[in-house]
Amino acid sequence: MDGQLLSETFVELTDTMVADFDVIDFLQMLTDRSAQLLDVSAAGLLLADPRGELRVVAASSEAARLLELLQVQVGQGPCLDCFRSGRAVTATDLSTDPRWPRFAEAAAEAGLGAVQALPMRLREQVIGALNLFRAAPGDFDPVNVRVGQALADVATIGLLQERTMRRRDTLNEQLQAALNSRVVIEQAKGKLAERLGLDMDQAFNVLRDRARASNLRLSDLARGFIDGTQNITWPNSGPAA
Amino acid sequence: MVLCSVKDNRLARIWGLVAAQAARRGGRVEAGDVCAAALAAVEVTGAWLSAASGLQAGHLMQVTDEVSEQLAELQLTLGEGPSIDVAAFGGPALASDLAERESGRRWPAFAPAACQAGAGAVFAFPLAIGAIQAGVLGLYRDKPGRLSDVQLGDALLLADTATLLLLDAQAGQVDGVGEYDGHDGHDGHDGHDGLGGQQAELTRHRAEIDQATGMLTEQLDVGITEAFTRLRAYAYANDLRLADVARDIVARRLRLNPDPGLFRDGE
């Protein structure tokens, strides 16, 4: 594991928590860093919606986002089991794992062979799950898993600090605003993908890079792009490879 | 593909409540029916619903009692309050106790005026789908008290329902989208079954539908609200599931063509 990147990640995460807190930016950073740090292909994060379902709030790639979404759609998968039980769930080889046939099939199509689901839990309350996907089957390095759980714990604390520091209502307000921001981001991805002829992954990367470069929240840029107050053209480097 | 979850039953129950209100009136289901349904569903004293077009102040469409009306109007007069916050913020504004300091800090003029009018707690929900903004659903209790987690979930589902109904009303001229009787949909075994079915799809196939809506703004050169209306109208007119149409658009197997003769902007 890259020790330097790990310390930078924790500094970055805690910085976000003490500064003006944006749920989407925070969780997006968490999934991106998880994928980079933990020797996995992709990471995704699900949160419980009071409407009674899990929602995909952040993912490091389109493939991870679709796999998270699929589990919610078919009502089965390691991340759902993890959320329901509040315990880590591991599948080291999805091609031979009998537990979630439909999920395994979709994972194989997406080129992912192993998954580790980590609960976002504080005492009795489970608020979501962080999920790590890897292309090749095989055991997950226990050190990486521990760090992954620590990252999931940081995310949980990051979200719940809002509740303890302010009112309980605030968490629900923030969560719903974040879920709606996620929708705005998907709408903006679609618009950008169509405008520049990109796939959804590329569109998201352009959006994210542009938000960073202009020091804007991802959701603010997305909203501005949709209502026409922000224009996005080809990145300086030309078409994304 | 049969996908019946707890969530669907919950949505079905909410739809049943809303449809029952329409039946009591003897009319088709309208967004305003959500207000009366909310009283029973989430134990609130009153409700109001206002429609928004763009950044314009809300047009009050429905109130269940005098206090609700006062609460809605106070916000317009004072220029502050939960309805105004939710439009800007994108999430709900939940004030379980208008007399507490937090509420007073948030709305220095509205909070005391609302207490005076007879409200103890106010909850406002944006009627929004991402960047699409249709209006605000407001609820109040005459005594302070939080919405329980279940009540909050139900209130959010009611707001989702009101959003689609309001968008339909705004796009009244679009063929098909408004054609349902409130008794269809959400039975879980057939996708192309009107608004209830589209709402169920919207929660489950969320991202593809959102991405397709974004793509359509470019393909059709329209705003996000109209893009969404066109998407739904296409699914309805061709007897297809919303999610399937969205998936085809995202996969670039389907393009919709601008056809101003066929569709008129609802403005």
Side-chain angles (χ1 to χ4, degrees):
Chain A
M1 177 175 311
D2 184 335
Q4 171 97 23
L5 185 58
L6 179 62
S7 17
E8 277 170 16
T9 299
F10 275 96
V11 169
E12 209 173 1
L13 287 170
T14 45
D15 272 357
T16 313
M17 280 160 61
V18 293
D20 194 12
F21 186 79
D22 183 77
V23 175
I24 290 283
D25 285 350
F26 175 71
L27 297 178
Q28 185 62 47
M29 183 207 301
L30 193 96
T31 52
D32 288 344
R33 292 285 175 271
S34 297
Q36 288 173 322
L37 269 169
L38 305 177
D39 188 28
V40 293
S41 315
L45 197 143
L46 290 164
L47 285 181
D49 182 341
R51 289 173 178 85
E53 225 157 65
L54 288 168
R55 299 270 298 267
V56 185
V57 184
S60 69
S61 75
E62 192 69 6
R65 198 186 56 72
L66 290 172
L67 274 181
E68 300 282 26
L69 201 60
L70 176 97
Q71 297 182 62
V72 175
Q73 287 166 3
V74 301
Q76 61 163 247
C79 314
L80 265 63
D81 286 2
C82 169
F83 175 76
R84 288 172 187 146
S85 67
R87 299 217 179 104
V89 173
T90 312
T92 52
D93 187 354
L94 285 167
S95 65
T96 59
D97 204 310
R99 285 177 286 182
W100 321 280
R102 298 189 57 184
F103 168 73
E105 198 182 313
E109 262 174 50
L112 296 170
V115 60
Q116 169 80 59
L118 300 165
M120 293 175 64
R121 192 181 66 198
L122 192 66
R123 291 181 283 275
E124 296 306 300
Q125 193 184 3
V126 186
I127 64 166
L130 172 67
N131 308 295
L132 310 172
F133 299 95
R134 216 181 42 208
D139 290 333
F140 285 83
D141 178 346
V143 174
N144 283 348
V145 171
R146 278 210 301 279
V147 173
Q149 185 61 60
L151 288 168
D153 293 344
V154 169
T156 309
I157 294 162
L159 291 173
L160 293 183
Q161 68 156 355
E162 293 291 311
R163 170 177 298 194
T164 48
M165 283 170 63
R166 295 199 242 159
R167 304 160 309 131
R168 183 187 163 98
D169 286 340
T170 309
L171 176 71
N172 281 319
E173 291 177 356
Q174 293 249 350
L175 173 62
Q176 290 306 316
L179 292 177
N180 197 57
S181 291
R182 190 65 234 179
V183 173
V184 179
I185 290 166
E186 296 302 328
Q187 290 170 339
K189 275 164 67 177
K191 179 171 176 165
L192 191 61
E194 182 70 12
R195 177 172 290 184
L196 301 185
L198 305 173
D199 67 29
M200 292 301 161
D201 248 336
Q202 293 168 331
F204 184 66
N205 288 336
V206 172
L207 270 178
R208 187 169 43 182
D209 292 349
R210 184 57 55 95
R212 274 189 201 138
S214 7
N215 204 17
L216 283 169
R217 288 176 175 189
L218 193 51
S219 54
D220 289 343
L221 174 66
R223 204 175 279 279
F225 178 57
I226 288 170
D227 69 24
T229 54
Q230 294 276 350
N231 191 26
I232 300 176
T233 50
W234 280 110
N236 295 336
S237 52
Chain B
M1 172 156 75
V2 179
L3 294 170
C4 226
S5 66
V6 175
K7 164 81 200 313
D8 287 340
N9 296 334
R10 205 169 165 186
L11 189 54
R13 185 171 56 77
I14 294 289
W15 263 88
L17 285 172
V18 176
Q21 296 303 327
R24 193 163 302 162
R25 273 191 307 107
R28 289 203 333 182
V29 179
E30 289 170 6
D33 293 320
V34 170
C35 286
L39 302 198
V42 296
E43 290 179 53
V44 289
T45 317
W48 72 90
L49 189 135
S50 53
S53 55
L55 293 171
Q56 276 183 343
H59 161 64
L60 193 56
M61 291 191 65
Q62 180 81 26
V63 294
T64 59
D65 63 0
E66 241 173 74
V67 177
S68 300
E69 186 164 6
Q70 281 183 49
L71 292 173
E73 281 173 358
L74 269 174
Q75 298 184 67
L76 289 180
T77 315
L78 300 170
E80 66 170 45
S83 296
I84 289 164
D85 285 6
V86 301
F89 177 59
L94 309 171
S96 308
D97 186 353
L98 282 170
E100 75 171 4
R101 228 175 42 205
E102 176 73 23
S103 301
R105 205 163 31 220
R106 211 167 173 188
W107 307 303
F110 172 77
C115 284
Q116 187 102 46
V122 173
F123 315 100
F125 298 85
L127 304 182
I129 300 171
I132 299 166
Q133 294 205 352
V136 176
L137 173 68
L139 310 173
Y140 89 93
R141 281 178 172 163
D142 56 5
K143 294 186 182 60
R146 283 188 62 242
L147 291 175
S148 70
D149 288 348
V150 172
Q151 287 171 339
L152 175 65
D154 285 350
L156 289 164
L157 290 171
L158 281 164
D160 294 344
T161 305
T163 306
L164 290 183
L165 288 167
L166 214 47
L167 288 173
D168 274 4
Q170 288 166 2
Q173 302 97 317
V174 176
D175 289 340
V177 174
E179 300 296 319
Y180 57 89
D181 60 9
H183 297 286
D184 59 1
H186 62 252
D187 52 5
H189 62 262
D190 204 354
H192 42 89
D193 47 10
L195 203 68
Q198 288 199 342
Q199 186 178 347
E201 285 190 81
L202 201 52
T203 40
R204 204 179 292 118
H205 300 273
R206 181 90 268 176
E208 284 115 323
I209 296 170
D210 300 329
Q211 290 170 356
T213 305
M215 289 173 76
L216 288 181
T217 61
E218 289 286 307
Q219 278 178 31
L220 303 172
D221 193 23
V222 295
I224 190 84
T225 305
E226 196 185 337
F228 183 59
T229 300
R230 299 277 190 95
L231 176 66
R232 293 172 60 208
Y234 183 90
Y236 194 93
N238 293 283
D239 204 20
L240 294 166
R241 289 165 48 103
L242 190 58
D244 292 337
V245 175
R247 200 167 297 125
D248 282 349
I249 291 173
V250 171
R252 295 182 159 99
R253 290 188 292 263
L254 172 69
R255 288 183 67 84
L256 301 194
N257 295 315
D259 188 351
L262 186 59
F263 296 108
R264 299 247 323 272
D265 194 340
E267 297 181 278

